[in-house]
Amino acid sequence: MSNRVFVRTLHAAAYLALVAAQSGVVSARPQTAAAVSLTARNRAEALVARMTLDEKIALVHGLFPPMAAGKTRNELIPSAGHVDGIPRLGIPIVRETDASLGVANQVEQRKGDVATALPSGLATAATFDPEIARVGGAMIGSEARAKRFNVMLAGGVNLTRDPWNGRNFEYLGEDPLLAGEMAGAHIAGVQSNNIVSTVKHFALNAQETGRMVVDARIGEAALRMSDLLAFQIAIERGRPGSVMCAYNKVNGDWACENSLLLNDVLKRDWSYPGWVMSDWGGVHSTAKAANAGLDQQSGQELDKAIYFSGALKADVQAGKVSAGRLDDMVARYLTGLISAGVLDKPVPAKAQAIPYARHAVVAQRAAEAGIVLLKNSGGLLPLATSVRRIVLIGGHADVGVLSGGGSSQVRSVGGAPVEVPLTSGAAASFARVTYHASSPLRALRAALPRAIVTYVDGNNVAAAAQAARGADLAIVFATQWTTEAQDVANTSLPDGQDALIAAVAAAQPRTVAVLETGGPVLMPWIEAVPAVVQAWYPGQRGGEALANILTGRVNPSGRLPISFPASAAQMVRQTPVGLDRLTSLEAQAAANPANASQYQLPSFPVDYAEGADVGYRWYERTAQRPLFPFGHGLSYTQFTYRNLQVSGGSGLRVSFEVVNTGRLAGADVPQVYVAREGSKTPMRLAAFQRLTLKPGESRRITLTAEPRILADYDTGLPGWRIAGGRYRVAVARDAGDRSLTATAVVDAATMKP
Ligand code: BGC
């Protein structure tokens, strides 16, 4: 948000010792999710029954620490959020930190406090491995806990509808099954530390341009089959203690006061037991929001009013919000905290030491598994041992790797070798262009002691081309910085980097392009560059991970969680909706600072006319070939699929052998796409599995199609409906591959929403 002000000074108040844990009901047998939340809900209700009205109200609105000095007697850790507890009832202080890539510390509001930075969400999604997501979540959650945070605002799962969205890097791509599975595993990992993880931003926060005012429009069935399905699967798998509603409107109502989303979909249809917290600055009313399902106002200083304090008390007393609803708001908050273990296993009273060296390895493994080898003509990679003179060009590859900006920004171990403040724009107050201290140059020199590895910064194209000509091989590092609160204006690499890559490739036929980008970028030079590596934002050990991939110490295995367009014209929306208007208003405000507030962007609609046919489904529906399809990724070995067997009936099971036909061990991600025969809907990813095979090894795997992917959502039912009949199945290496197909007859069925 643009009005964020970060207070750098730490409040020196003494920290209240955490109250004794509530005695829990301990059962000898593992409990089901429903049983756990029922027990938690019973405990929560028993606590609510002992509270005064003021105590209840105190729990449903939280402070934004940088703007809340003096509002509590307790220590305010500079971070995203703080909610005081009720010591007499054993309800702890809740301290909230961002985000999915590590314990955030935007613009270094906690001076000197570092944390381990995972690669971007898209990099983790590219592993197609829920276990990697879980391990990453468990690692960052343990750091949050050690720093005394008991709620982590991790779990961003907004579906990528547009490659230019500034926050794509935080999320998990364009497919609801992949994104939901990966987010669920990540959340479960965070919560394994007895802290809460928050799935966000519910829902359709699909662009940053005008994010506080945009009205996302889409039909209910399409929404249930796309963005909401990602949330639904993430919640089922990860059971997050809380859900964060989004800034934007959905079909005319603000997401944080949207009864269809919060009451009907989340709480009624999905039986979600935890609490709905607002995004910071996302509340617009008191009674309407409370009655529509919002349970807690977060970071209240960022809203126009403190809606859930005195105003809520008055509305409860006036009967505009029922006493029962207020009790439910509080009970949900406590249910989320109790289920995660926040009451029974309180965070330590003092910050604990963190095993950063061990955690760095977790970040590096995730990067190594998520980096995608997009192109490798003539087997240019891995780097041959005969290559003696290598020049690295651009992207600050001498000192570090790029990260994405905004609330998720981690100040990583080792600090920021490059850090550039912004001078304008919506992100200026809380984002800086930040590099992690992980130098590809240093890592490559260490990996290739007999080679001469040099660096030129790429600012002078002619000098870069000359350096490339004088070497045996050139590696150009191209960067695209993206951030929360802004979209990129287009998907071209900025700052003349296309010309730089083209010039280097013209001078040196053995050129590798390494892309450190928030998401897909256009590659007008693709024909001239034999090898391309998609590194995303590779995190705190990105340089080491890249060196291992480039030298072949690690066999690349990442697969694209998002389609890469061949041209801007292929995309549903070529540029951010409303960006022209916003840019012109910002210019007027800058020219007229005394009246800047009158140049506000009014609410405007974005029609998601593609409906549920997001990403690769859009390409199939419009018969377009992207540059690189969803699911694509090369290896230094080869895999083949054979002996496909498909069985239908009450479900769809797909069994096949995966064979490593090459000479190296490697990991592959076979993907199962399905569509009903004769229907016009594009094929959808219904199952996937990552597996590692030795050279020559073959393994038969059996995957079950996610039933909701076979189904369509039927608002008349309401629920999911599988139309019985014959289904086409493709076992594929990417969303465009139809080389191994079969069919099976699936029974008609309906399922609850
Ligand atoms: C972001 C959220 C974040 C919150 C707290 C908001 O601006 O949209 O993702 O968790 O701030 O920092």
Side-chain angles (χ1 to χ4, degrees):
M1 59 219 57
S2 49
N3 56 342
R4 277 194 163 174
V5 186
F6 283 103
V7 177
R8 296 263 188 99
T9 46
L10 216 113
H11 298 269
Y15 178 66
L16 161 77
L18 271 173
V19 286
Q22 279 255 143
S23 63
V25 181
V26 181
S27 128
R29 291 190 195 175
Q31 290 181 308
T32 62
V36 169
S37 63
L38 194 64
T39 314
R41 175 78 190 196
N42 289 344
R43 286 177 62 190
E45 285 179 6
L47 286 167
V48 174
R50 295 166 60 196
M51 286 180 197
T52 65
L53 177 58
D54 285 335
E55 283 174 333
K56 293 174 191 173
I57 295 285
L59 294 184
V60 296
H61 61 106
L63 304 173
F64 181 53
M67 293 165 70
K71 291 197 182 175
T72 171
R73 284 183 293 119
N74 298 310
E75 179 194 359
L76 273 174
I77 302 181
S79 62
H82 176 112
V83 184
D84 274 329
I86 306 178
R88 76 172 184 94
L89 295 174
I91 297 167
I93 296 173
V94 158
R95 292 200 165 91
E96 299 167 322
T97 177
D98 288 297
S100 307
L101 313 181
V103 179
N105 185 4
Q106 309 94 347
V107 298
E108 214 184 357
Q109 51 175 322
R110 297 185 305 281
K111 203 86 195 127
D113 186 22
V114 295
T116 306
L118 286 171
S120 67
L122 275 180
T124 294
T127 70
F128 277 65
D129 188 348
E131 182 56 13
I132 289 176
R134 192 194 61 75
V135 170
M139 182 273 284
I140 64 169
S142 78
E143 295 195 357
R145 180 179 178 83
K147 293 174 189 291
R148 301 179 293 150
F149 293 107
N150 46 14
V151 171
M152 201 166 197
L153 310 172
V157 71
N158 294 94
L159 228 50
T160 298
R161 285 180 172 270
D162 296 295
W164 37 255
N165 178 1
R167 284 187 101 168
N168 283 342
F169 76 93
E170 286 186 60
Y171 304 141
L172 301 159
E174 68 191 21
D175 179 75
L177 178 67
L178 176 67
E181 295 274 1
M182 298 299 283
H186 185 78
I187 289 163
V190 171
Q191 293 200 155
S192 67
N193 297 286
N194 297 118
I195 65 172
V196 162
S197 186
T198 305
V199 70
K200 66 188 188 184
H201 310 85
F202 193 68
L204 266 176
N205 182 179
Q207 69 165 46
E208 292 299 287
T209 302
R211 66 176 174 158
M212 314 292 281
V213 295
V214 63
D215 181 11
R217 297 202 184 151
I218 189 170
E220 184 186 336
L223 182 56
R224 296 249 194 186
M225 291 164 64
S226 54
D227 302 63
L228 291 185
L229 183 56
F231 276 96
Q232 190 174 10
I233 294 172
I235 290 171
E236 288 166 0
R237 304 285 192 272
R239 296 184 219 147
S242 66
V243 172
M244 186 191 295
C245 51
Y247 284 133
N248 49 285
K249 295 181 178 180
V250 176
N251 294 329
D253 262 338
W254 299 108
C256 287
E257 54 180 52
N258 194 306
S259 187
L260 178 93
L261 284 181
L262 305 180
N263 282 335
D264 299 352
V265 172
L266 181 69
K267 294 181 177 177
R268 183 193 65 201
D269 295 345
W270 300 352
S271 308
Y272 178 68
W275 90 98
V276 177
M277 61 163 73
S278 70
D279 200 346
W280 273 235
V283 187
H284 299 269
S285 62
T286 300
K288 180 172 183 200
N291 290 328
L294 178 65
D295 299 308
Q296 190 180 56
Q297 178 180 17
S298 311
Q300 60 184 26
E301 286 71 28
L302 293 169
D303 280 310
K304 288 203 188 75
I306 301 182
Y307 296 103
F308 274 24
S309 180
L312 180 61
K313 184 177 174 185
D315 279 0
V316 171
Q317 284 166 335
K320 291 187 193 156
V321 175
S322 71
R325 172 67 189 121
L326 177 63
D327 285 356
D328 180 52
M329 293 161 73
V330 181
R332 284 178 166 280
Y333 174 54
L334 296 176
T335 301
L337 296 177
I338 292 168
S339 320
V342 171
L343 268 64
D344 295 340
K345 305 249 173 60
V347 293
K350 286 206 179 94
Q352 307 287 298
I354 291 172
Y356 285 124
R358 194 147 46 79
H359 288 185
V361 177
V362 174
Q364 184 171 335
R365 294 288 170 265
E368 287 168 351
I371 289 172
V372 182
L373 179 61
L374 291 175
K375 180 178 177 188
N376 193 20
S377 294
L380 183 60
L381 293 175
L383 297 172
T385 41
S386 56
V387 175
R388 281 294 141 84
R389 290 164 307 159
I390 300 175
V391 60
L392 309 195
I393 298 167
H396 296 290
D398 53 337
V399 290
V401 289
L402 185 58
S403 60
S407 60
S408 69
Q409 179 76 60
V410 177
R411 183 93 191 165
S412 62
V413 179
V418 178
E419 202 182 17
V420 187
L422 309 185
T423 49
S424 62
S429 70
F430 71 119
R432 298 173 185 160
V433 181
T434 303
Y435 282 69
H436 296 309
S438 173
S439 155
L441 177 64
R442 200 176 338 110
L444 268 173
R445 280 180 174 159
L448 300 169
R450 290 158 39 146
I452 300 165
V453 190
T454 53
Y455 174 77
V456 296
D457 66 18
N459 291 335
N460 180 328
V461 174
Q466 197 184 346
R469 204 172 293 119
D472 300 330
L473 183 139
I475 307 178
V476 198
F477 287 75
T479 57
Q480 175 213 40
W481 185 69
T482 66
T483 180
E484 176 183 340
Q486 282 169 208
D487 295 315
V488 285
N490 58 58
T491 40
S492 292
L493 282 169
D495 306 326
Q497 293 178 96
D498 283 332
L500 173 68
I501 298 172
V504 169
Q508 172 52 265
R510 295 203 283 185
T511 289
V512 180
V514 172
L515 305 175
E516 293 172 24
T517 62
V521 290
L522 298 175
M523 303 181 204
W525 34 260
I526 189 70
E527 292 305 328
V529 176
V532 183
V533 174
Q534 179 61 38
W536 315 107
Y537 299 140
Q540 177 189 307
R541 279 284 187 92
E544 290 78 3
L546 270 166
N548 281 346
I549 293 281
L550 293 168
T551 57
R553 288 185 183 191
V554 170
N555 193 349
S557 60
R559 301 288 183 267
L560 293 180
I562 184 170
S563 311
F564 274 47
S567 69
Q570 288 190 332
M571 306 186 316
V572 189
R573 287 161 291 274
Q574 299 194 8
T575 50
V577 182
L579 184 59
D580 289 351
R581 182 94 197 273
L582 178 68
T583 312
S584 114
L585 285 167
E586 281 175 350
Q588 291 173 56
N592 192 355
N595 296 312
S597 60
Q598 78 189 51
Y599 301 103
Q600 299 290 328
L601 190 62
S603 184
F604 63 97
V606 177
D607 281 305
Y608 289 111
E610 74 278 21
D613 291 336
V614 179
Y616 64 89
R617 303 179 186 178
W618 171 256
Y619 283 87
E620 183 171 330
R621 180 165 129 185
T622 54
Q624 304 188 87
R625 268 173 72 117
L627 181 60
F628 297 110
F630 174 90
H632 168 76
L634 304 173
S635 166
Y636 297 146
T637 189
Q638 293 82 39
F639 298 96
T640 191
Y641 310 140
R642 65 185 185 204
N643 297 331
L644 171 61
Q645 289 164 9
V646 181
S647 71
S650 62
L652 186 65
R653 277 162 304 279
V654 184
S655 170
F656 52 96
E657 270 173 62
V658 186
V659 193
N660 181 345
T661 57
R663 280 175 301 171
L664 291 170
D668 187 30
V669 184
Q671 301 148 42
V672 173
Y673 294 87
V674 297
R676 191 164 56 83
E677 219 167 53
S679 83
K680 288 211 184 71
T681 39
M683 293 193 98
R684 304 169 183 161
L685 181 71
F688 60 89
Q689 187 178 319
R690 179 188 171 96
L691 72 168
T692 301
L693 295 176
K694 297 195 204 73
E697 188 182 352
S698 86
R699 196 176 310 157
R700 174 164 284 279
I701 59 171
T702 303
L703 303 179
T704 303
E706 159 60 47
R708 287 165 292 194
I709 296 294
L710 295 174
D712 285 332
Y713 193 83
D714 182 345
T715 50
L717 201 56
W720 299 92
R721 183 190 293 281
I722 298 182
R726 188 163 288 281
Y727 279 71
R728 277 187 301 134
V729 176
V731 170
R733 55 191 74 258
D734 60 54
D737 173 18
R738 298 286 177 267
S739 46
L740 186 59
T741 58
T743 66
V745 175
V746 178
D747 299 342
T750 59
M751 291 167 281
K752 72 164 208 52

